[in-house]
Every structure is written in C-alpha cells, then in structure tokens.
Amino acid sequence: MFNFTFIKKTKIGCIFSISCFLIFFLLFSQKIFSQNLYTIKGRITNEKGTTLEYATVYVKVAEIGTNTNEQGDYSLRLPNGQYEIGFQYVGYETKYETINVNGDLIVDIVLKAEGIVLEEVVINANEIQDPAYNIIRQAQAKRKYYLQEEIKAYQCKAYVKNLQKLKKRPNTFFGRNVVVDTGVVYFSESVSELSYQQTNKWFEKMVSSRTSGNSRGFSFNQARESWVNLYENINAKEFTERGIVSPIANNAFSYYRYRLENTYQEGGKTIHKIRLIPRRQNAPACGGFIYIIDGDFRVHSADLYIKKNVVDFVDSVVVHQVYKPLKSVNEKNGTDIWIPFSQKVQFWFNAFGFKGNGYVVTMFSNYNLTPNFPKKFFKNEVFTVEKDANKRDSLYWRELRPIPLTTEEVKDYRKKDSLVIIQETKVYKDSVDRKRNKFRLGNLFLSGYTFYRSYNNLSISMPPLPAMLSYNTVEGVVINFAPTFRKRYEDRRSLWISPTVRHGFSNEKWQAKGELKYLFNPKRQASFSVEGGQFVEQLSRAVSITPFANTFYSLLDEQNFMKLYQKTFGKFTYEHNILRGVRLNTSLEYAQRQSLQNTADFKLRDVDGRDFTPNIPDVDFTEKNINDIIFQKDNMLTWATTLTFNFGQKYVSYPDRVFTTDSPYPTFMLNYRKGLNLLNSNVDYDFLMLRVFDDTRLGMFGESEWQVESGIFTNANQMNFIDYRHFIGNQTLLRNNTEAWAYQLLPYYAASTKEHYIKGHYEHHFNGFLTNSIPFIKKLKWQLVASANYLYTPAFGNYVEVGAGFEHIFSILRVDYFAGWQNGKFFDAGLRFGLGF
C-alpha cells in the first residue's frame, strides 16, 4: 500500500487492506518491571472545545506513547513516578505537562493553535521570493541521506488498526446478489515486529492479530507497507496508478507551489509550516501542509489530502503523520534522529452503488537502532504470521492497545464476537444462503448464477445464458452448458468438478467432457487434475477467437474465423511450487483427433462477393506442410513440462497459505513438449521454448510490460498442423484479449510454424503522464497507451505492428489504432476496440 521509511514498496493486494502500525509499550531503563502500572487517560481538545482525533501523546524521555482515538480520548499506562508528557497535534503548539503518577489519573488537555511567528514572510507575484522554496530545496538536498544513509539498521514494533465502513450498497452487483450489510464491514488490529537493514532488506513478523467477528482468521494488515514515506520520490501507488509525487521529491517543483504559512518554536526546534499547492488540478500531487525542521531540514510532520480527481480507486484520501526524535548511539555529536511515530490514513469511496469510508492507524515503538541480526536473517520471506497470533484474549489487547477503542469499535467487537457461534450454525448459514441464492434476471444474462450451501462449504456455479449460446459454421447454433461444483475444506484445500455438455443443432452432435481438480497443498499451490471426454477444440489448441466474436462476424459479416476439430481424450496435469520462485507444471495427454466440416451456412447479413470458408485455415500452405492440415483422423500422445523461474521471488506467508509478491527480476519460463510415437500415436516431434517477461514501473512516466519468446522444433518427424506453434492473431475490430499477448492485425494461422521463431511484445501505459496536460482529455480522464509486437518465422519473415490509443474511456473501454508491416512492406492497419480498466 504505502512505503515504510527506508523500505522499497512492494505491491500486495487491494486498497481496502491498507496496513498501519502501533506503539507497543516497554518499560525503559532504570524502571523496575515489577512495578504497578497506572492508567492516565483524558481528552484532548482545542480552545473551541473541538476534540482532536489522533493527537500524539508521548513521554519525553522514554519510548512510550499513544494517540487519541476518533473521539479525542487517550489512555497511557505508566509505573509510579514523575514524567514529562508531551501532547502534540499538527497545526497546534506542543504542550508539555509534568505529571506525578501514583495512581490512576484523568488529565484533559487543551492545545492552542500555532501563533509564534519568528520571521516576516514576504510574498510577491514572483513565487521564488517566498521563503518556502528555499526550505524545500534544503529538504530535497537532504532527502536521499535521510532515506538511505542515516539509519543503517533497526528493529521496532508496530500496531495497526484498520476499520472500513459501508454506508450504502446496491441490492445487486453485475447481476449477483449483494448480501453484505451496511455498517462496519472490516475491523482488525495487529501487532508486528519489523526489521530493516541497508540496503532494502526487511522482514515483518505479525505476532498478534484480532479480526472482529472472525476468531479463526488473521488480519490483512501489513505494517511495512503502511507508512507514506515522504522521503521517497513517489508514494501512494495503490491509490493511483501513477503514484503521488512527494512534496520534497527531486522534481517536486514541477508539481507543487509552496507558501510559508508560519514558523514557530517547539522543544527548542524551529518548525516551518509550508502549504502545498498542486500546480494543476489533476497533477499527481497532494494538498495540505508539510512541517520542516529548520537546520536539519527533515520532516517533522504532515497533514496531506489527495483529491478525487487525482486518485483512481477512491474518492479522496487524507494522511496525518507525525515523527518523533530518538537519540542515535551512532551519532558522535548526539544529534537526534527523527523516526516515524504515528500515522492515520482516511479514505472515502463511492462507486458502482457502494459508498463508504475507512481509516488505518499506524503506531511505531521500541526502536532498536543497533540490532544484531544473525546470518541469513533476511530471506525472500518478507512477511509472516505466527501460528497462534489470533489466540490472544481480550485482556491481552486491553493491556497492550495504545489507542482507546471508540464507541463504534467497542460495539462492533461485542456484536460480532457474540454472533460468531451463531454464525457458524447451520440455521444461520442456511438463512444467509436463502438470501443470496435468490435468482434474479441479472443472473440469467449478466453474471450467471451460483447456488451456495455454506454450512457444507459447497457451491454450484452456472454461466449466464449469453455465454452458453453461440454460432459457428461447423455445428450451427450451439448450446454449451458448463457448471462448476466446488467443495472447500477447513484447511483451504479445494475440490472442483467441472462437467461440460455441448450440442450443435446443425451437425446434430452431442459433445461432453469433465474435469476434476484437487488443490491438496494450498501453501505450495500443489494440485492435480484429471480431464477427459469427447469435445471440440480450436486448431490452435487455444482460444484464437472468442465464441462471441466468431458468432458476431459469422452472422453479420459472413466471416467464419473459428476453425474446429474434434478430439476424444484423457489428460492428467500436475502443478506444484517445488521451490520458492520455481513452479512445475507437467501433463500427459492421449487423444484421438478428427477433422470436421462445415454443416451450416446461415447468416443474418449476406455480403456480396463473400462466402463462408471451409473449416481449415484460410491461408496459403506450401507443399511441405499442406499434408499436415489435410487429415481425417489420427492419434496423439504428448507429454509437456513447463518450469517457471522467479529469481529473487519475495513472498508472504500465513499459517495456512502463501502469497507471492513482485520479483526484482524478469520471469523465465521454459517449456518442453514431446510428441510420443507410442501406443498407436501418430506424432513424433520435440518442441522447446524459452519465454522471458516482466513489468516495470517508471514513476510518473507510467508502467511498461514486455515479453520475449523464442522456440524451435528440434524434431518434426511426424506432426499434424494442430501440433504447430500457433500465434494468436486477430481479424476483427474487437481487440483480442484471449491471450496476454496477441497480434491485433495478424490473420489467424498465417504465421503458424513447425520450425524456429522469435516473437516479442511491448506495451506502455502512460497512466496520465501526457494526457493530464491536455485540457479536454484531462477532464475525460483518458489515458494514453502504446504498444509494439514483433514476430519472425522462416516462412513468414519479419512482421511488425505498432499501436497507440486511449484506455479508461468511460472508465472501462479502450480504443487502439494499429499499423503493421511484413518484411518492410505495409501489411494492414485498423482500429481495435476492447476493455481497458
């Protein structure tokens, strides 16, 4: 979600799982652990009586602190003694109180707004004369030092509180019933231990987790991603594709104007309050205030907001963060190091009929700046959850929790925890199922229908009617019924059974197949599947064209692009993460393959001079390969193995599952496919392929994706055209997204080969980098995208196509214009329409 200081951000999951940190209490030096702890509590307000939520409260000479909650209440547990306690809130003067603790106390605090101006601010039309610009330049000069060099290593503890509320919801969403109620939909707390070492080595262990209404679950909080690190050039990449430029980034002057609002004293330090003004309405910048310490020119605190027209996934975001000083044992001059202390992130959302808001609070404590890490302490595992992290009782949390729960949070715990036993009963689950099993018209045409039997962890899903009906010239009108039965087990093992029945009304043939898949080791994503039956398949052994696109063009344009054959087959597949970052997929298949002919010629529109083509690819074939495609029936036995390597693959592990995260290196995929001349099989060939792919974020310039692949048939002694290496092409106006990388102008099967080949793809999403400077397009929020595809085979030669277009049209659509060249000569050009979220 966000970057923690000195830590490189790793993308994991969705915005509603934002992570935040807490301060855990530890008694400091010269205090006796056996002493009684007393509670100091109270409320912090301003001079008008308004409560100050998430104000900072800390003991000046010790690493003990807390924040107020949403109601301005705080609670702090201390041993007997005298303490100087600071009360701090961004935009207000810090107040210190000397308090004698010999019993429980109530101490209410009133903070005054900043008011001590130490220098006159001169602001003219020329912005350079504002003193804020020089202060920001000084902070920019020190940014890299504070980010990468000042702290060599550390360990700390972190507390995270995450609450999300739904105020409004639709009854259905894309045809499916919405059963979640309004109110608090997610509330959790967690405590983690964080470890860091230069450069960019880090590890987080969650030791405590509590999720409201789910005593067996684990929180999704991850403290390492919670901090909005203003020392990084780019932040908040989960709220917007481009991220947000830090106010002290190297290029910040291109995105911000600054105004010095105030300069005041706090604890012997001079603090500059600087207003942040985005230069453009849609600029990837935040408004609000940043507070810079004079002399050190480091961040003291910040109050930031990101408006709706800047973020992509929510309406708006507010970030409130505070640093605190910590004496560094490594600093010869005794200079304090300012470390992250607390942060609150609030967000509001309103989309597709869902409206709500949430917040994530993070607190840090118990910093150790001289940890002694054992060898191999930092591995590819960057986050883990202790097995018994969710076993802590309410007394544990009451004593540990640094921020008092609000009335709403207390009620949510009481309500949902009291319902846990009831919600596990058959009567309750059946009542919920009756509601979401209700059939609606949208199920028939949009989303399909799923029948749940929650008590038994069973579900049956059926596709919508448009996905079941299609038309092709081989079978005529087709109905393809493919339900899926799923059984989930308590340890996250799963069983899928997927029967499919198909009938062509023109060729009057019934087809049927079935697949059973069993996920038996969720942590290793290990599964096996058994599949078999008699069914039709496209000659490419993949989805070269979707049934919808083929139906549309066959009926309205008299072009039957889909080419089919029939196979009676049995197949076994096994998949397993054999090592972290190494995945194996292997399969063995035996099939009897049979060619099919057209039996239907119906169309809604008759195009002059055009007829349906036979059920073979409409391309020129040489004498060398014409016999491969003209076949009646053959047998095939093949063995295929794929190894996927993600070097340096990072991962997060829960007691019952493992998730992989981004790798700093490209992914390598090695595939070997062998046609075995055994058991009356008519094939004998060897195919070897290497594919390398990756995606790269380029900051404000957007994000690039690329893929390079090379393959060769080292033996092509006996083959059918089906066994060739086929490349996904497109001859329609609909953008082909059936494969991650498809050619948008290449005719189907035109470059299919049984020799060697090289192919490459590149696509760059500008994420608003250029279009946000164009007034009309900026208002529409369209984003530019550019792509290039390359292919070489000995028979087809060199083929290149390039494209440019816009995505996010009406939030979901994309339009591209492509042009292609074969062997240096113009080949084709045209528009392609598709989805572009």
Side-chain angles (χ1 to χ4, degrees):
M1 154 113 318
F2 297 115
N3 302 326
F4 182 73
T5 308
F6 316 110
I7 295 177
K8 181 180 179 182
K9 178 205 155 282
T10 304
K11 179 172 69 177
I12 305 181
C14 83
I15 162 166
F16 296 121
S17 341
I18 313 175
S19 303
C20 308
F21 275 41
L22 150 87
I23 281 192
F24 189 14
F25 100 69
L26 261 186
L27 293 178
F28 46 93
S29 61
Q30 299 180 354
K31 296 292 180 183
I32 302 175
F33 281 74
S34 61
Q35 286 180 292
N36 292 330
L37 294 177
Y38 299 105
T39 300
I40 305 172
K41 63 182 180 179
R43 176 166 293 186
I44 300 179
T45 61
N46 62 16
E47 294 175 294
K48 297 180 179 179
T50 303
T51 56
L52 300 179
E53 61 180 60
Y54 294 95
T56 301
V57 181
Y58 63 92
V59 179
K60 193 171 183 182
V61 296
E63 274 201 73
I64 302 175
T66 184
N67 276 0
T68 59
N69 61 17
E70 280 191 310
Q71 297 163 335
D73 297 325
Y74 74 92
S75 178
L76 193 64
R77 292 170 61 82
L78 293 172
N80 180 65
Q82 186 180 82
Y83 302 91
E84 187 174 8
I85 300 179
F87 300 87
Q88 178 183 357
Y89 191 78
V90 175
Y92 290 77
E93 297 178 16
T94 299
K95 185 174 185 178
Y96 294 99
E97 292 282 347
T98 300
I99 299 176
N100 291 311
V101 177
N102 52 20
D104 293 342
L105 297 172
I106 297 177
V107 180
D108 294 329
I109 296 296
V110 177
L111 295 184
K112 297 181 180 180
E114 308 151 348
I116 307 175
V117 180
L118 298 182
E119 60 181 277
E120 182 179 357
V121 178
V122 179
I123 303 177
N124 295 333
N126 185 355
E127 63 185 15
I128 298 178
Q129 294 181 358
D130 192 299
Y133 284 84
N134 185 55
I135 297 170
I136 293 296
R137 287 190 185 92
Q138 298 288 344
Q140 288 173 324
K142 301 287 293 241
R143 181 193 66 83
K144 187 176 180 180
Y145 171 75
Y146 294 138
L147 175 66
Q148 298 178 351
E149 302 173 20
E150 182 179 46
I151 297 182
K152 308 300 181 184
Y154 67 79
Q155 283 185 311
C156 70
K157 289 196 174 182
Y159 167 84
V160 179
K161 181 166 68 171
N162 187 340
L163 185 142
Q164 296 159 22
K165 294 185 288 187
L166 191 62
K167 294 184 176 181
K168 182 182 178 182
R169 65 161 178 82
N171 292 324
T172 61
F173 183 66
F174 285 99
R176 293 190 178 272
N177 298 328
V178 177
V179 297
V180 64
D181 291 327
T182 55
V184 176
V185 295
Y186 181 77
F187 175 42
S188 71
E189 297 176 278
S190 64
V191 176
S192 296
E193 297 174 352
L194 227 65
S195 301
Y196 166 79
Q197 187 179 67
Q198 289 184 347
T199 55
N200 200 35
K201 296 178 181 178
W202 45 270
F203 175 67
E204 177 181 350
K205 179 171 66 174
M206 182 183 290
V207 297
S208 306
S209 169
R210 185 179 184 186
T211 302
S212 181
N214 186 0
S215 60
R216 291 180 296 178
F218 296 95
S219 169
F220 288 104
N221 302 333
Q222 291 190 32
R224 63 185 175 81
E225 292 187 345
S226 70
W227 189 255
V228 180
N229 183 5
L230 298 179
Y231 293 112
E232 292 276 6
N233 281 321
I234 306 295
N235 288 279
K237 294 179 182 178
E238 263 67 27
F239 282 131
T240 170
E241 291 176 322
R242 294 175 294 167
I244 300 297
V245 177
S246 168
I248 59 172
N250 293 339
N251 59 343
F253 288 141
S254 298
Y255 297 92
Y256 291 93
R257 291 187 176 91
Y258 303 91
R259 187 166 67 227
L260 182 62
E261 293 286 329
N262 198 2
T263 299
Y264 61 95
Q265 287 284 327
E266 179 184 290
K269 295 286 187 180
T270 301
I271 312 298
H272 301 292
K273 177 183 179 181
I274 298 173
R275 180 182 292 275
L276 307 174
I277 308 169
R279 286 185 174 271
R280 298 176 301 279
Q281 184 179 4
N282 286 3
C286 51
F289 299 95
I290 186 171
Y291 294 75
I292 303 294
I293 301 173
D294 190 64
D296 295 339
F297 296 102
R298 63 169 84 236
V299 179
H300 168 274
S301 54
D303 254 336
L304 312 173
Y305 63 84
I306 309 171
K307 296 192 297 185
K308 180 178 180 179
N309 57 339
V310 177
V311 290
D312 299 322
F313 313 118
V314 293
D315 277 2
S316 57
V317 179
V318 172
V319 180
H320 170 88
Q321 65 176 213
V322 175
Y323 289 75
K324 66 169 288 186
L326 179 67
K327 190 71 68 176
S328 171
V329 298
N330 295 325
E331 293 286 342
K332 295 181 180 180
N333 59 8
T335 302
D336 289 343
I337 289 178
W338 287 67
I339 54 172
F341 178 71
S342 66
Q343 175 181 276
K344 180 182 181 182
V345 177
Q346 297 172 276
F347 55 89
W348 292 261
F349 59 91
N350 186 3
F352 302 109
F354 294 93
K355 184 178 181 179
N357 65 287
Y359 56 80
V360 185
V361 179
T362 303
M363 295 190 68
F364 309 92
S365 66
N366 297 348
Y367 278 92
N368 176 10
L369 300 183
T370 57
N372 185 19
F373 295 120
K375 290 184 178 180
K376 298 183 179 180
F377 178 82
F378 295 96
K379 302 177 182 178
N380 287 337
E381 184 182 40
V382 295
F383 175 85
T384 188
V385 179
E386 288 189 345
K387 183 179 180 180
D388 295 328
N390 60 355
K391 305 299 183 185
R392 316 296 186 186
D393 58 20
S394 58
L395 178 61
Y396 168 90
W397 285 102
R398 188 161 57 247
E399 293 181 348
L400 175 142
R401 183 182 295 117
I403 307 173
L405 294 178
T406 64
T407 302
E408 181 181 46
E409 293 165 350
V410 171
K411 288 181 178 179
D412 191 68
Y413 269 142
R414 289 176 178 173
K415 175 184 176 181
K416 291 181 180 176
D417 289 351
S418 64
L419 291 175
V420 167
I421 298 177
I422 297 175
Q423 290 173 341
E424 292 298 318
T425 64
K426 186 176 186 301
V427 173
Y428 179 85
K429 289 190 174 184
D430 287 348
S431 67
V432 174
D433 287 343
R434 280 193 295 271
K435 183 176 180 180
R436 63 176 176 173
N437 287 341
K438 186 180 295 184
F439 186 84
R440 297 176 182 269
L441 191 62
N443 299 130
L444 182 63
F445 294 102
L446 293 176
S447 63
Y449 176 73
T450 300
F451 176 84
Y452 296 94
R453 185 63 61 84
S454 301
Y455 186 75
N456 303 110
N457 292 320
L458 290 172
S459 65
I460 304 174
S461 299
M462 288 167 279
L465 185 61
M468 291 191 284
L469 296 175
S470 64
Y471 174 81
N472 64 73
T473 55
V474 173
E475 302 169 287
V477 175
V478 174
I479 183 166
N480 190 90
F481 182 61
T484 299
F485 302 83
R486 183 179 182 183
K487 166 70 175 177
R488 287 178 288 271
Y489 301 92
E490 293 297 328
D491 55 1
R492 295 190 178 274
R493 291 178 296 118
S494 293
L495 176 69
W496 292 266
I497 300 176
S498 304
T500 304
V501 179
R502 182 184 181 100
H503 180 66
F505 287 89
S506 179
N507 66 353
E508 299 181 345
K509 280 191 175 183
W510 287 92
Q511 312 274 358
K513 66 176 181 177
E515 180 183 14
L516 181 150
K517 181 177 180 179
Y518 180 48
L519 176 68
F520 61 89
N521 187 341
K523 294 195 73 169
R524 289 284 186 176
Q525 285 296 297
S527 67
F528 69 83
S529 64
V530 180
E531 186 179 5
Q534 178 178 290
F535 216 71
V536 295
E537 188 175 75
Q538 296 190 38
L539 291 178
S540 63
R541 305 187 315 279
V543 183
S544 291
I545 183 171
T546 64
F548 170 79
N550 184 74
T551 299
F552 182 88
Y553 272 84
S554 295
L555 293 177
L556 297 179
D557 205 38
E558 204 172 348
Q559 296 190 83
N560 55 326
F561 295 121
M562 183 180 288
K563 307 302 176 183
L564 301 170
Y565 75 100
Q566 177 182 285
K567 71 173 184 177
T568 304
F569 72 104
K571 183 178 181 180
F572 175 82
T573 303
Y574 176 79
E575 296 181 87
H576 187 199
N577 290 334
I578 55 178
L579 296 170
R580 299 299 182 195
V582 181
R583 182 164 183 81
L584 168 70
N585 179 301
T586 187
S587 63
L588 184 68
E589 180 179 9
Y590 187 87
Q592 182 183 81
R593 303 182 294 195
Q594 181 174 337
S595 63
L596 298 171
Q597 288 76 43
N598 289 341
T599 64
D601 60 1
F602 175 77
K603 58 265 187 185
L604 295 175
R605 174 173 170 260
D606 191 0
V607 180
D608 291 340
R610 182 179 295 168
D611 294 308
F612 287 129
T613 60
N615 187 42
I616 60 173
D618 187 21
V619 294
D620 294 330
F621 291 94
T622 65
E623 293 182 3
K624 185 177 179 180
N625 60 24
I626 189 65
N627 292 328
D628 293 342
I629 192 169
I630 304 299
F631 78 103
Q632 293 299 317
K633 182 182 294 187
D634 75 350
N635 298 324
M636 174 271 293
L637 176 64
T638 59
W639 171 60
T641 294
T642 300
L643 283 171
T644 304
F645 301 90
N646 287 292
F647 298 106
Q649 178 74 70
K650 307 295 183 182
Y651 63 94
V652 301
S653 58
Y654 287 77
D656 55 354
R657 51 190 162 160
V658 173
F659 299 103
T660 59
T661 66
D662 290 341
S663 168
Y665 306 105
T667 299
F668 290 77
M669 179 182 290
L670 182 64
N671 171 256
Y672 174 68
R673 177 160 50 97
K674 171 64 178 176
L676 298 165
N677 193 8
L678 301 171
L679 302 176
N680 203 31
S681 171
N682 304 121
V683 296
D684 180 12
Y685 65 87
D686 296 89
F687 171 73
L688 190 63
M689 178 270 287
L690 175 64
R691 178 184 299 166
V692 185
F693 56 95
D694 200 8
D695 60 86
T696 306
R697 283 193 169 186
L698 302 174
M700 291 295 103
F701 297 99
E703 183 176 2
S704 289
E705 303 170 276
W706 59 269
Q707 180 196 97
V708 177
E709 177 182 322
S710 181
I712 185 172
F713 285 89
T714 58
N715 162 38
N717 185 46
Q718 195 170 358
M719 296 180 65
N720 186 304
F721 180 75
I722 300 169
D723 304 312
Y724 280 36
R725 174 61 171 105
H726 303 286
F727 308 100
I728 304 300
N730 189 14
Q731 292 174 256
T732 74
L733 288 173
L734 304 176
R735 180 179 173 83
N736 195 333
N737 291 321
T738 59
E739 188 178 272
W741 298 101
Y743 297 90
Q744 299 302 326
L745 298 173
L746 184 69
Y748 306 106
Y749 306 103
S752 299
T753 184
K754 63 176 181 179
E755 298 180 280
H756 61 276
Y757 68 90
I758 299 175
K759 67 191 290 278
H761 305 270
Y762 178 82
E763 187 166 89
H764 184 73
H765 302 265
F766 288 86
N767 295 342
F769 170 63
L770 297 177
T771 51
N772 277 351
S773 300
I774 305 173
F776 176 71
I777 296 179
K778 175 179 67 175
K779 187 175 182 180
L780 294 175
K781 293 188 177 182
W782 294 3
Q783 295 184 3
L784 186 65
V785 59
S787 55
N789 302 309
Y790 171 78
L791 175 64
Y792 169 78
T793 71
F796 198 71
N798 291 286
Y799 173 76
V800 177
E801 62 183 34
V802 296
F806 291 102
E807 57 185 350
H808 294 192
I809 301 172
F810 304 118
S811 300
I812 62 172
L813 301 179
R814 172 174 173 173
V815 178
D816 296 83
Y817 181 80
F818 284 91
W821 293 265
Q822 182 184 11
N823 297 319
K825 297 182 180 179
F826 178 75
F827 184 81
D828 197 4
L831 289 170
R832 295 294 182 264
F833 301 86
L835 298 177
F837 294 96

